[in-house]
Amino acid sequence: MEKVKIEKGYKEYIKYKERIDILEDINVNFETNKIYMIVGESGAGKTTLLNIIGTLDSLTKGNLYIDGKDVTKLNENEKAKLRMEKIGFIFQDFYLNKYMTVEENIMEPLYINEKYNKTTRKQRTDKLIEMVNLTDRKKHFPRELSGGEQQRVAIARALANEPDIILADEPTGNLDKTNEIKIFEILKSLRDNGKCVIVVTHSDRVKKYADIILKLEEGKLKIDED
Ligand SMILES: Nc1ncnc2c1ncn2[C@@H]1O[C@H](COP(=O)(O)OP(=O)(O)O)[C@@H](O)[C@H]1O
Ligand SMILES: [Mg+2]
């Protein structure tokens, strides 16, 4: 099922009155039940593209559709609502709150969701903690965790509100091989449960987890055949 679509997408930045073209004529569909990998050199625009899909940034020209709805027409409040309901971001630098425990970090996004009350929030949090295998680290603070554990907290947090679209920016960039495998096991099970998973990476080693590899080069996005 088609989930995300970009049509004739352009992105430019103006810096010191100079125009930099980052994305040029992007046309792409992202479907459910697939893991997409966006590869490309540093500075190619991968993070920019991911932020646009996640509605944190917007296209200069062209259209973005999520579930068939033209997102380019939404205001900031509507976009924030859409993000909460549909999008889970896994950032490269985790963005955990260092003054909160594992449990509190994972629970935090649930407070803005009217669906939950105190009891169900707690149940949902416990389930998420179990999913990323951190039950024995519940009361730990981020600084008491390894990089891999912190990344798993970030994943649980991103999945708290059951998003259909999971966006991950170099999710295993700072991790060893064992943790990398664990993270992709989670992403694969999300894929198999009907999610649309889009991962930005520059690591050749993780390409094997992709169903479709897209290469971003000179502003263009192409399917990578090899
Ligand atoms: N807010 C911004 N203003 C101006 N230029 C930016 C901004 N964000 C990113 N860029 C530039 O856009 C290009 C692509 O950046 P990015 O999407 O972060 O690339 P990647 O993630 O592939 O390394 C870079 O040259 C970067 O300097
Ligand atoms: Mg980047």
Side-chain angles (χ1 to χ4, degrees):
M1 197 175 80
E2 184 182 293
K3 202 72 198 166
V4 180
K5 180 175 173 172
I6 298 177
E7 243 175 31
K8 297 196 179 77
Y10 288 77
K11 179 68 182 179
E12 60 183 44
Y13 286 118
I14 310 284
K15 197 96 190 180
Y16 307 116
K17 295 186 180 163
E18 291 262 0
R19 201 183 88 200
I20 329 169
D21 297 309
I22 312 289
L23 304 173
E24 291 179 72
D25 198 17
I26 302 289
N27 294 283
V28 64
N29 278 327
F30 297 99
E31 297 181 355
T32 52
N33 290 104
K34 293 223 158 63
I35 295 180
Y36 293 85
M37 263 183 220
I38 299 175
V39 301
E41 286 179 5
S42 174
K46 303 181 298 295
T47 297
T48 303
L49 179 59
L50 207 67
N51 287 342
I52 288 170
I53 295 168
T55 78
L56 292 172
D57 198 350
S58 48
L59 290 167
T60 315
K61 221 167 70 183
N63 297 84
L64 165 72
Y65 301 89
I66 294 178
D67 286 326
K69 194 171 176 175
D70 190 350
V71 175
T72 23
K73 300 210 162 50
L74 302 181
N75 66 33
E76 286 309 316
N77 281 336
E78 291 166 328
K79 278 196 264 187
K81 185 164 182 284
L82 178 133
R83 273 198 300 275
M84 185 202 77
E85 289 173 351
K86 302 197 172 176
I87 294 166
F89 253 109
I90 302 165
F91 295 101
Q92 184 171 15
D93 303 319
F94 316 141
Y95 289 135
L96 301 177
N97 188 323
K98 63 178 177 180
Y99 301 109
M100 288 184 177
T101 63
V102 166
E103 189 174 34
E104 288 162 348
N105 265 289
I106 295 171
M107 195 184 282
E108 194 189 35
L110 299 174
Y111 282 96
I112 54 165
N113 192 334
E114 291 161 4
K115 206 170 97 181
Y116 294 101
N117 61 34
K118 200 175 170 206
T119 312
T120 52
R121 218 165 24 229
K122 178 85 177 69
Q123 287 165 351
R124 174 77 185 140
T125 305
D126 283 342
K127 204 172 154 211
L128 287 159
I129 293 174
E130 210 181 286
M131 186 193 71
V132 294
N133 230 324
L134 286 171
T135 308
D136 55 350
R137 295 285 188 280
K138 244 182 187 175
K139 303 290 177 195
H140 283 56
F141 287 93
R143 70 181 148 75
E144 300 166 330
L145 301 173
S146 71
E149 288 166 344
Q150 287 183 50
Q151 185 59 298
R152 266 143 56 204
V153 179
I155 291 180
R157 223 179 113 96
L159 300 176
N161 285 313
E162 296 175 84
D164 290 340
I165 303 163
I166 290 99
L167 306 175
D169 199 350
E170 313 258 10
T172 58
N174 305 314
L175 304 182
D176 57 49
K177 215 169 160 182
T178 316
N179 279 299
E180 186 178 280
I181 292 167
K182 280 189 198 158
I183 303 273
F184 275 98
E185 286 308 319
I186 297 172
L187 294 177
K188 273 164 36 186
S189 79
L190 291 166
R191 185 247 342 249
D192 298 338
N193 281 300
K195 310 290 185 186
C196 171
V197 182
I198 308 176
V199 181
V200 159
T201 185
H202 65 247
S203 158
D204 283 329
R205 207 168 66 191
V206 303
K207 280 187 179 175
K208 59 175 177 284
Y209 299 108
D211 296 302
I212 295 169
I213 299 173
L214 298 162
K215 188 163 191 187
L216 191 57
E217 201 171 31
E218 290 172 2
K220 304 267 201 273
L221 193 63
K222 295 188 191 105
I223 291 195
D224 197 70
E225 305 286 358
D226 43 59

